[in-house]
Amino acid sequence: MSAAFGIDIGGSGMKAAPVDVDTGELLDKRLRIPTPKPGVPDEVADVVYELVTSFGWTGPVGCAFPAPIVGGTVKWVAHLDDSWAGVDIAETMSNRIGAPVTIINDADAAGIAEMTHGAGVGRKGTVCFTAFGTGIGSSVFVNGNLVPNTEFGHLYLAGHENDVEVWTAAKVRKRENLDWPTWVGRVKQYLEHLEKIISPGLFILGGGISKDFDTWGPLLDIDTEVTVAQMRNNAGIVGAAMASVGGGAVHSDTG
């Protein structure tokens, strides 16, 4: 067994657990702490410290972050405070916890976990992982190789003045009190647009709403094969842990 520690930072919650990176299984019950509002760097780093110390973890940490990551730096961020732009996240987190921290985009982390240990194992061609939560995250794999930082949740579709996650994220379904057929109709529009752009052979759907996939999944009718993330909303934790040890058959080259 090879143990590592993963943290998944989301717009509404921060989740963490130690992980067996050889199997993708959590080694302890995950801990979730609400994401600070407005989520400035020092406050988020404090929660990272709390998560790490709660498990008594003393080694390297992997951290999945909800923004494109280039060279370890945040380019821009949609669901945390704007003060993150230009921040070296690894340095900020490492200084706070006193241990090395590896940073990876959250949807990229979850996709890597699913491609290595979950629904995407052995799949060739183009696979698109899409997470529905506070926003919409995406990761794309071509013959098992990650194309990092795709951020498809910020695409614009004809007839809508805002990017797609503003009207299709799981959070929107709750906020607007949408019934399942109405929300799934929006998901269908989004995925059909991605079909035109990247022609995937498989969509893996994850994020917080994946726990209800048995309810809404059968309502989704598109040409491309669709499956739910096997790790559900734990995939980001697993992928972050894998990043901390450079593990996994699929990995990112984000600099």
Side-chain angles (χ1 to χ4, degrees):
M1 181 185 71
S2 179
F5 195 84
I7 300 175
D8 186 5
I9 298 176
S12 59
M14 298 172 58
K15 307 177 291 291
V19 175
D20 181 345
V21 296
D22 294 330
T23 65
E25 296 179 357
L26 303 192
L27 296 173
D28 202 342
K29 183 178 180 180
R30 77 178 192 185
L31 175 62
R32 182 186 186 278
I33 298 176
T35 303
K37 302 297 182 185
V40 298
D42 285 348
E43 291 181 357
V44 171
D46 285 344
V47 176
V48 167
Y49 176 80
E50 183 177 352
L51 289 167
V52 171
T53 55
S54 292
F55 287 92
W57 187 263
T58 57
V61 169
C63 186
F65 193 85
I69 308 297
V70 179
T73 299
V74 180
K75 303 302 290 184
W76 54 270
V77 62
H79 300 292
L80 293 174
D81 193 76
D82 289 343
S83 59
W84 279 102
V87 170
D88 185 324
I89 313 176
E91 181 180 24
T92 300
M93 301 300 186
S94 296
N95 289 342
R96 183 67 183 90
I97 70 172
V101 177
T102 301
I103 303 296
I104 184 171
N105 172 268
D106 57 348
D108 288 350
I112 287 171
E114 286 294 327
M115 293 296 290
T116 307
H117 296 300
V121 172
R123 293 300 296 246
K124 300 298 182 182
T126 301
V127 177
C128 182
F129 173 87
T130 300
F132 296 92
T134 302
I136 295 178
S138 65
S139 54
V140 174
F141 299 82
V142 179
N143 293 325
N145 296 304
L146 173 66
V147 181
N149 297 320
T150 49
E151 295 291 338
F152 285 153
H154 298 287
L155 290 172
Y156 281 72
L157 301 190
H160 299 277
E161 63 180 19
N162 295 309
D163 56 12
V164 68
E165 72 174 18
V166 173
W167 55 276
T168 311
K171 180 180 180 180
V172 176
R173 188 190 72 84
K174 289 187 176 181
R175 186 180 67 222
E176 298 184 11
N177 196 29
L178 301 176
D179 60 26
W180 286 115
T182 300
W183 180 74
V184 170
R186 298 184 181 190
V187 172
K188 176 181 171 72
Q189 290 182 60
Y190 167 56
L191 296 182
E192 287 180 336
H193 188 62
L194 292 184
E195 286 179 321
K196 295 176 182 177
I197 295 173
I198 60 173
S199 300
L202 174 68
F203 283 114
I204 302 173
L205 305 184
I209 207 164
S210 61
K211 66 181 183 297
D212 299 310
F213 186 79
D214 289 346
T215 298
W216 61 267
L219 303 175
L220 182 61
D221 181 19
I222 61 174
D223 291 337
T224 303
E225 181 184 352
V226 174
T227 189
V228 68
Q230 289 184 9
M231 300 177 202
R232 298 301 202 269
N233 204 24
N234 289 333
I237 295 174
V238 175
M242 292 171 63
S244 75
V245 295
V250 191
H251 45 269
S252 162
D253 181 16
T254 57

